[in-house]
Amino acid sequence: VMIEARYKEQARKDIEAQMLKEKTSAFRSLMDRFYDLVTELDANLAITAFDCVLASFLQAPPGSLDHMKFDDLIANQEERELFLERAQVIPEEGGAANVLHLTLQFGNAHVRQVELFMFKFP
């Protein structure tokens, strides 16, 4: 009986993980249609996924942005402070996105003006 309960619990977790993976994939595909570039940040605002596209956009070497804090790419101190402030109050899923106009730069590469939409990823 104990083995059966563990098996059912593991099966439930596996199904939930697969459903989240499918939902994430569909959400990612939808975002790719609307936005030029999509990057995921973790709770510490470090770049965790899709950094190769952002690196290319900023003319940075591949892999150089992996786990880098996103605010380190913001060239202007006032914009960085605004980003950090807004990142603390990202709307819940389904809410309106925070929108910011920022200047991004990696090292001495070209400066890029961007319009940033921030929202919680499901």
Side-chain angles (χ1 to χ4, degrees):
V1 174
M2 189 68 136
I3 294 173
E4 184 177 332
R6 286 184 184 163
Y7 175 77
K8 285 182 179 179
E9 179 64 19
Q10 184 60 46
R12 184 186 63 76
K13 287 180 180 178
D14 291 346
I15 290 169
E16 287 176 355
Q18 182 62 33
M19 289 173 63
L20 179 61
K21 187 177 181 180
E22 289 172 9
K23 181 179 179 182
T24 301
S25 177
F27 192 65
R28 168 73 184 173
S29 295
L30 182 62
M31 288 191 310
D32 281 340
R33 292 198 180 268
F34 287 101
Y35 304 109
D36 295 325
L37 192 142
V38 176
T39 299
E40 283 184 43
L41 308 179
D42 65 13
N44 297 316
L45 305 177
I47 300 165
T48 59
F50 317 112
D51 63 305
C52 58
V53 180
L54 180 59
S56 176
F57 176 73
L58 294 174
Q59 297 180 333
S64 60
L65 302 183
D66 191 30
H67 300 291
M68 179 180 208
K69 291 193 57 109
F70 185 81
D71 56 289
D72 289 340
L73 297 172
I74 302 172
N76 178 295
Q77 182 62 31
E78 288 178 22
E79 291 176 355
R80 183 178 300 116
E81 290 171 6
L82 183 59
F83 167 78
L84 292 171
E85 178 184 312
R86 295 269 186 97
Q88 300 300 318
V89 291
I90 295 175
E92 290 299 318
E93 187 176 333
N98 278 327
V99 180
L100 295 171
H101 293 269
L102 301 174
T103 305
L104 299 182
Q105 183 176 24
F106 178 80
N108 293 325
H110 295 290
V111 172
R112 304 284 188 205
Q113 299 295 319
V114 300
E115 186 173 53
L116 180 72
F117 295 86
M118 298 187 314
F119 50 89
K120 281 196 180 191
F121 195 73

